[in-house]
Amino acid sequence: MNTSAIITAIIVLAVIALIIGIILSVAEKAFKVEVDEKEVAVRAELPGSNCGGCGYAGCDALAAAIAKGEAPVSACPVGGMPVAQKIAEIMGEEVGEMEKMVAYVKCDGTCEKRTTDYNYYGIDTCLYASKMPGSSPYACKYGCLGFGSCVKVCDHGAIRIIDQKAVVDESLCVACGKCLKACPHDLIELIPADSKYRVQCSNLARGKEVKNACTAGCIGCSMCARNCPSEAIVFENNIAKIDYSKCTQCGLCAEKCPVKIIKEY
């Protein structure tokens, strides 16, 4: 056995290993990504549903925003107060009051209340039905289509179709916002869970046209707004809209509404 050849081979391997080690060390420093420990800790507490209900692209984006102080510790609607408290501890902040929000379907057009223009035979989704003539087989072109696209995206089983209309079970709703994105008629919004009075219509038409389409439609008379002592009701595109930050829940709007589409919950 050639001893010198073995020693030479060992020396060559050692030199190569040393060079590789130096290269890896330099590369590590050059390409090192700084990790925010708070961001990692916050991300670990988030539920990971990536629903987008917080307004960010997903849980990773929200964790980064919270760690940077760009989003409140209570920004995750799915996690609610328990998650907010854990994140507040990580960030060294107070949670403060956290208002519970729920999804609300702004339509009361059940089968017996609305008029049908034609029978729809097609793919069983609201999106496809909304692409049909008039954007709906019903006379009201703004109401719930009743095919359950919102039901399909709800991970918590909080929405059901009853009488051809979406209905939210608020005890199960976590206000993630997925149903809002699934509705082609933009009928669903997030509102305070303790809101006592709600407008049950989204029809942008007026008067006789609304009444011919659905008996549960807002006719745009503005009686509710004119009688609201706190000026909490405004009209947007002929539809009454309640500003819950001003509403005192006195009930005058529901009392004065001639078609009774503002109801107490």
Side-chain angles (χ1 to χ4, degrees):
M1 182 178 293
N2 191 333
T3 306
S4 61
I6 295 174
I7 294 172
T8 301
I10 292 172
I11 293 171
V12 170
L13 288 174
V15 171
I16 292 173
L18 179 62
I19 293 171
I20 291 173
I22 292 171
I23 292 173
L24 290 175
S25 178
V26 172
E28 180 186 9
K29 292 179 180 178
F31 298 104
K32 184 179 181 180
V33 177
E34 293 294 334
V35 177
D36 187 329
E37 293 183 1
K38 283 189 175 181
E39 180 181 332
V40 174
V42 169
R43 178 61 185 87
E45 296 300 339
L46 293 174
S49 56
N50 293 309
C51 61
C54 58
Y56 289 86
C59 293
D60 288 346
L62 176 59
I66 293 175
K68 293 174 184 175
E70 297 172 357
V73 295
S74 58
C76 176
V78 178
M81 183 58 79
V83 168
Q85 289 174 335
K86 291 178 181 178
I87 294 176
E89 290 178 12
I90 295 168
M91 297 299 296
E93 299 178 13
E94 295 291 332
V95 178
E97 291 188 14
M98 188 174 178
E99 185 175 44
K100 177 175 170 55
M101 305 292 283
V102 292
Y104 173 62
V105 183
K106 299 175 290 183
C107 176
D108 195 36
T110 52
C111 294
E112 69 276 9
K113 295 177 182 178
R114 62 188 176 189
T115 304
T116 301
D117 274 351
Y118 57 87
N119 293 322
Y120 170 75
Y121 299 100
I123 298 175
D124 198 20
T125 70
C126 297
L127 180 60
Y128 276 94
S130 71
K131 302 297 183 183
M132 295 297 104
S135 78
S136 174
Y138 302 107
C140 174
K141 306 306 178 184
Y142 306 94
C144 181
L145 291 158
F147 292 103
S149 291
C150 53
V151 175
K152 295 179 179 71
V153 300
C154 181
D155 297 326
H156 304 276
I159 308 180
R160 294 177 295 161
I161 299 298
I162 300 176
D163 224 358
Q164 288 295 31
K165 187 183 79 73
V167 177
V168 178
D169 181 342
E170 296 182 12
S171 67
L172 298 176
C173 179
V174 297
C176 68
K178 283 187 176 181
C179 56
L180 280 67
K181 299 173 185 177
C183 179
H185 282 178
D186 297 321
L187 284 178
I188 309 175
E189 68 175 349
L190 296 180
I191 64 172
D194 62 356
S195 55
K196 195 173 180 181
Y197 296 93
R198 304 176 187 180
V199 180
Q200 294 186 311
C201 180
S202 295
N203 196 324
L204 304 185
R206 301 187 72 174
K208 186 178 180 181
E209 185 179 346
V210 174
K211 295 176 77 172
N212 288 339
C214 180
T215 59
C218 174
I219 58 176
C221 68
S222 76
M223 285 291 290
C224 53
R226 281 182 278 164
N227 285 277
C228 179
S230 57
E231 298 183 346
I233 301 182
V234 295
F235 270 79
E236 295 179 359
N237 298 317
N238 301 321
I239 289 291
K241 184 176 179 63
I242 299 175
D243 181 345
Y244 290 106
S245 67
K246 295 180 180 179
C247 181
T248 61
Q249 309 203 63
C250 66
L252 272 174
C253 55
E255 181 183 327
K256 297 296 182 179
C257 177
V259 289
K260 304 303 178 187
I261 58 95
I262 300 180
K263 294 186 178 180
E264 182 178 355
Y265 278 73

